[in-house]
Amino acid sequence: MVEWSSLLIPIVVSAVLIFFASSVIHMALKYHNADYRMLPNEDAVAAAIRQGGAAPGQYVIPHCKDHKQMNTPEMQRKFTDGPCGLLYLRPSHAIQMGPFLGRWIAYTLAVSAAVAYLARAELHAGAPYLTVFRLVGTAAWFAYGWQGPADSIWKGKPWIVTFKEMFDGLIYASLTAGTFAWLWPAAA
């Protein structure tokens, strides 16, 4: 069985590589910039939300308390007239990237550790490069790229955004897989 201590370096190196890759994707390539659009009346919408006193959280409009209410004429009119959407609100304060980046690196470490757990359970020391790459890459891609389709199906996220996020996930998974395959322990 592969020792946990021999997987610490692949866990950390893959997390660091993903951190840098995501930085390049978001700060240099910027192909996600078009994923977020501005409301034409942003100031009026923001004022209405402030006036309503909505706390940080997840909101849906129109809101139904239960399925029976969905079929009432009033609720059907709200759906027909629109808007229909999902809104996430964070606490109001100046954006500070440090906490976001800290949570992102913690997430990449957690994914790499979970993938290491799976690989350790399924592979032996000295496993071939492509065998390690295939198992680790598949597991990492599920972690990084496959929430998006559910969000597009249930929450209305545009499919083009989901496809771009899945592509990012494939990049992160490939980096994770390549790192683990490269640094996988040799047979004793």
Side-chain angles (χ1 to χ4, degrees), residues 136-146 165-171 173:
V136 169
T138 301
W141 195 29
F142 278 118
Y144 288 118
W146 282 89
E165 290 173 351
M166 291 177 75
F167 178 72
D168 295 350
L170 185 60
I171 292 169

Side-chain angles (χ1 to χ4, degrees), residues 40-63:
N41 58 343
E42 178 182 322
D43 292 338
V45 171
I49 291 171
R50 276 192 303 275
Q51 183 182 13
Q58 176 178 288
Y59 298 88
V60 65
I61 183 170
H63 182 266

Side-chain angles (χ1 to χ4, degrees), residues 24-94:
V24 168
I25 288 169
H26 291 282
M27 295 188 322
L29 301 178
K30 298 183 181 186
Y31 58 82
H32 285 287
N33 284 4
D35 295 351
Y36 302 94
R37 297 175 20 196
M38 182 177 167
L39 290 167
N41 58 343
E42 178 182 322
D43 292 338
V45 171
I49 291 171
R50 276 192 303 275
Q51 183 182 13
Q58 176 178 288
Y59 298 88
V60 65
I61 183 170
H63 182 266
C64 290
K65 289 190 185 251
D66 61 46
H67 188 67
K68 290 180 272 186
Q69 186 184 16
M70 198 105 131
N71 294 325
T72 65
E74 298 83 13
M75 190 55 69
Q76 288 298 311
R77 185 177 355 270
K78 286 182 179 183
F79 279 107
T80 302
D81 293 346
C84 299
L86 189 62
L87 176 68
Y88 298 102
L89 296 177
R90 296 189 298 244
S92 298
H93 56 75

